[in-house]
Amino acid sequence: MTLLDLDTRAALAPRSISGDRLRKLVAERTGDPVLGHEAHVVSQVLPFKVSSYVIDELIDWGRAPDDPIYRLTFPHRDMLEPEHFALIEQAVAQGDRGTVRQAVDTVRAALNPHPGDQLSMNVPQHDDIDGSGMQHKYSETLLVFPRQGQTCHSYCGYCFRWAQFVDTPDLKMAMSGPEAMTRYLDLHPGITDVLLTGGDPLVMRTELLASYLEPLLEPGREHVETIRIGTKAVSFWPYRLLAGPEADDLLRLLERLTAAGKHVAMMLHLSHVAELQTDAARTALARLASTGAVLRAQAPVVRHVNDDPRTWADLWQAQVRNRVVPYYMFVERDTGARPYFGLPLARAVDIYREALQRVSGLGRTARGPVMSASPGKVVVDGVVDLDGGRAFALRFLQARQADLVGKPFFAKYDEHAQWWDDLRPHGPRDREFFGAGGNA
Ligand SMILES: *Cc1c(COP(=O)(O)O)cnc(C)c1O
Ligand code: SF4
């Protein structure tokens, strides 16, 4: 690709494809009109957006619908329960907007749009600071959700923040400017990490991003040692990092932060090795690394996309090759299209362990499978046979109750369990880990 091509690309913002255009695109590219119809129906409920890069360079249309990136981004019938699908399909066929709206609201409400009480818990409470775009769950880390970063260049079908992307205003949680963040930080000198997240903060213009990041360099904010930026731009829109003034300014911004002594970590969401096989993605990673930022990667293990040890081994290997440190393998949350993407914990553990065995130590740095649940981040270390029967060996990597971190504990083995709420203490000594009022 020539630089001119790249400049042209950078000028083209990714656009949402919806309704009839989605139906036609899927039908034409796959040659299957039924798939097009089904995608159209499901996209009434779950947010859908895809960039030209994903369509033209990532998806292998010869393999669709089984291509992993197609599965990752395009709506599929089985993402909804059959009765929900039928309800929406009928409403769409009737063609009355009010009926469709009502059916869509009903189905969305049934999909647990706010897993882990994100809207009510962890939001800082201060008389004179609007905490609505922040989460402060673990003492050392502040999560910041800039308003203009609450979308992505494409959407993942399994996104646990899907409810933020649909057009219901009261589902949104976001911060309108950096002042609430800086005032909160000044009142909390114990915070060492600021994590900008979304959505994808790199959908914001660099100037806006800088308005959140540059205040972290000001005197008095030395306690903020680490700045993490969560993004899937390398996979969904690498041109954000490749060419044009916006990309160059972004790299200069990251350089200023690292030169000032901050640890800058790009938290890259990478689901499949196919995302690292284009020249655009590899060049984007090299440019990011050249700023002195540390590149780390995380993604959930999900059915239809990466539920296979070889896929994870290849992904980790490709990450190491591109100077990316594997960080987390997450468990898909209990929201949205989980019936389609979700896996039993027992399967996730097998995938993790078998993938580890295939890579060298540098590729074994991802912790997983991890549930980011209400009481904390719980890693499933394995399945063990104890006196009282078979059990999951668990450990908190992070906990609301900090003294629980790092201690092994056990839950009754359940081959169908997919999430923290499905687990029960194995024995009496495990009860304290499940909390009062929790799932004890
Ligand atoms: C995962 C997470 C963090 C970061 O945890 P680390 O262990 O530092 O990676 C911070 N806040 C919340 C709410 C999280 O879910
Ligand atoms: S990149 Fe992250 S926030 Fe964006 S759609 Fe995918 S999972 Fe959701």
Side-chain angles (χ1 to χ4, degrees):
M1 206 177 293
T2 67
L3 200 59
L4 184 68
D5 290 334
L6 284 177
D7 270 330
T8 316
R9 284 290 204 161
L12 291 168
R15 258 174 287 165
S16 300
I17 296 175
S18 60
D20 243 26
R21 286 186 59 217
L22 167 62
R23 190 176 55 69
K24 283 191 190 129
L25 174 78
V26 172
E28 276 167 21
R29 297 278 183 138
T30 64
D32 186 344
V34 175
L35 283 177
H37 165 70
E38 292 174 352
H40 178 216
V41 170
V42 174
S43 73
Q44 305 293 312
V45 175
L46 295 169
F48 170 76
K49 182 185 196 179
V50 71
S51 69
S52 55
Y53 170 77
V54 171
I55 294 175
D56 296 331
E57 296 183 54
L58 280 194
I59 294 176
D60 177 354
W61 287 94
R63 289 179 61 200
D66 292 328
D67 176 76
I69 308 301
Y70 179 87
R71 291 293 190 194
L72 169 70
T73 49
F74 276 77
H76 185 273
R77 173 184 193 118
D78 297 337
M79 287 163 77
L80 298 180
E81 300 290 357
E83 62 274 23
H84 288 158
F85 184 89
L87 183 72
I88 304 293
E89 189 177 40
Q90 277 161 19
V92 169
Q94 277 177 17
D96 168 47
R97 289 181 62 160
T99 313
V100 174
R101 184 80 233 176
Q102 212 176 7
V104 164
D105 287 346
T106 305
V107 174
R108 280 182 186 158
L111 297 179
N112 188 23
H114 305 297
D117 295 329
Q118 283 215 42
L119 289 196
S120 55
M121 297 177 89
N122 316 319
V123 171
Q125 304 293 335
H126 265 278
D127 288 347
D128 54 349
I129 299 179
D130 175 10
S132 58
M134 294 185 274
Q135 274 185 36
H136 192 194
K137 182 170 177 179
Y138 308 124
S139 59
E140 69 279 12
T141 305
L142 182 69
L143 258 55
V144 176
F145 299 78
R147 180 171 302 285
Q148 299 87 344
Q150 299 313 306
T151 182
C152 299
H153 298 99
S154 285
Y155 293 149
C156 310
Y158 56 66
C159 181
F160 71 97
R161 300 223 164 101
W162 66 272
Q164 288 191 47
F165 302 146
V166 297
D167 56 354
T168 317
D170 60 323
L171 293 181
K172 290 207 167 85
M173 170 182 71
M175 177 187 275
S176 50
E179 293 75 25
M181 172 191 79
T182 49
R183 292 180 59 208
Y184 190 78
L185 285 171
D186 293 344
L187 291 173
H188 294 85
I191 295 174
T192 56
D193 288 40
V194 168
L195 203 170
L196 243 59
T197 184
D200 189 333
L202 295 193
V203 301
M204 297 195 289
R205 294 182 60 84
T206 302
E207 198 184 344
L208 194 56
L209 194 60
S211 74
Y212 282 87
L213 295 177
E214 285 185 328
L216 302 177
L217 301 179
E218 285 165 15
R221 311 230 165 89
E222 291 80 6
H223 59 98
V224 179
E225 297 177 3
T226 299
I227 299 167
R228 302 191 219 181
I229 303 172
T231 183
K232 200 169 174 63
V234 169
S235 309
F236 282 166
W237 194 244
Y239 307 109
R240 176 67 181 93
L241 303 155
L242 284 181
E246 278 290 306
D248 292 344
D249 288 352
L250 173 59
L251 297 183
R252 298 297 90 75
L253 170 64
L254 298 178
E255 281 166 6
R256 280 200 299 285
L257 299 173
T258 57
K262 301 292 184 189
H263 174 119
V264 177
M266 300 304 295
M267 307 303 291
L268 309 171
H269 176 180
L270 299 173
S271 316
H272 194 278
V273 67
E275 295 168 347
L276 296 176
Q277 284 166 342
T278 67
D279 287 343
R282 284 193 289 246
T283 310
L285 290 173
R287 293 194 93 199
L288 277 178
S290 75
T291 65
V294 178
L295 313 185
R296 296 183 185 275
Q298 54 194 29
V301 53
V302 290
R303 224 148 45 91
H304 304 295
V305 177
N306 59 19
D307 56 335
D308 169 60
R310 182 166 298 132
T311 303
W312 277 90
D314 290 349
L315 176 60
W316 289 336
Q317 198 69 32
Q319 286 171 4
V320 171
R321 214 161 40 233
N322 287 286
R323 288 194 271 173
V324 179
V325 183
Y327 189 56
Y328 281 130
M329 174 201 269
F330 287 119
V331 174
E332 161 69 350
R333 280 181 114 133
D334 52 342
T335 179
R338 197 178 64 162
Y340 184 66
F341 291 107
L343 282 171
L345 294 173
R347 177 72 191 133
V349 147
D350 281 346
I351 293 170
Y352 176 79
R353 212 186 20 157
E354 287 173 36
L356 276 195
Q357 293 166 16
R358 292 168 186 264
V359 295
S360 85
L362 295 186
R364 294 183 187 187
T365 52
R367 292 172 297 169
V370 178
M371 294 174 277
S372 196
S374 195
K377 276 202 172 61
V378 187
V379 64
V380 186
D381 280 327
V383 175
V384 287
D385 285 309
L386 302 176
D387 286 348
R390 183 160 283 198
F392 287 114
L394 307 170
R395 199 160 38 94
F396 277 108
L397 299 177
Q398 285 281 11
R400 212 183 275 288
Q401 195 186 325
D403 64 328
L404 296 181
V405 169
K407 295 182 191 164
F409 67 104
F410 299 94
K412 288 194 173 83
Y413 180 77
D414 172 350
E415 61 176 336
H416 302 297
Q418 292 195 18
W419 190 249
W420 173 249
D421 296 352
D422 303 330
L423 298 177
R424 299 290 173 268
H426 172 77
R429 82 162 269 296
D430 300 310
R431 279 192 202 129
E432 65 165 314
F433 294 90
F434 289 81
N439 36 348

